[in-house]
Amino acid sequence: MKAAEIRELSADDLQSKLKEAREELFNLRFQMATSQLDNTARVKQVKKDIARILTEMRARELSA
């Protein structure tokens, strides 16, 4: 997910995307622990998405 896409989302959408990303990260970590994960780069990508979402949420909180 790109930063420009994140900026266009509403606060509720950001919360839902954050929840989905955290669930996906949990599942990816579980798959990695059981040696079922094929694309290990996806873990890094999801972590960055979570960071982008949290950054945008914080920026909106500070500007309010």
Side-chain angles (χ1 to χ4, degrees):
M1 179 175 286
K2 300 204 182 267
E5 295 172 1
I6 292 173
R7 281 189 218 106
E8 294 173 359
L9 297 175
S10 69
D12 292 335
D13 290 338
L14 282 176
Q15 286 288 348
S16 65
K17 289 286 186 184
L18 180 62
K19 184 178 177 188
E20 289 172 13
R22 285 187 170 158
E23 288 174 0
E24 182 179 358
L25 182 60
F26 175 80
N27 291 330
L28 289 172
R29 284 181 176 154
F30 194 85
Q31 288 177 1
M32 190 182 301
T34 58
S35 301
Q36 294 177 346
L37 185 62
D38 295 330
N39 185 8
T40 56
R42 182 70 183 142
V43 174
K44 186 176 180 181
Q45 191 176 22
V46 172
K47 283 183 179 181
K48 285 186 176 186
D49 285 346
I50 290 171
R52 285 186 186 111
I53 292 169
L54 290 173
T55 301
E56 180 61 26
M57 289 171 70
R58 180 68 177 149
R60 289 181 184 186
E61 181 181 311
L62 291 175
S63 67

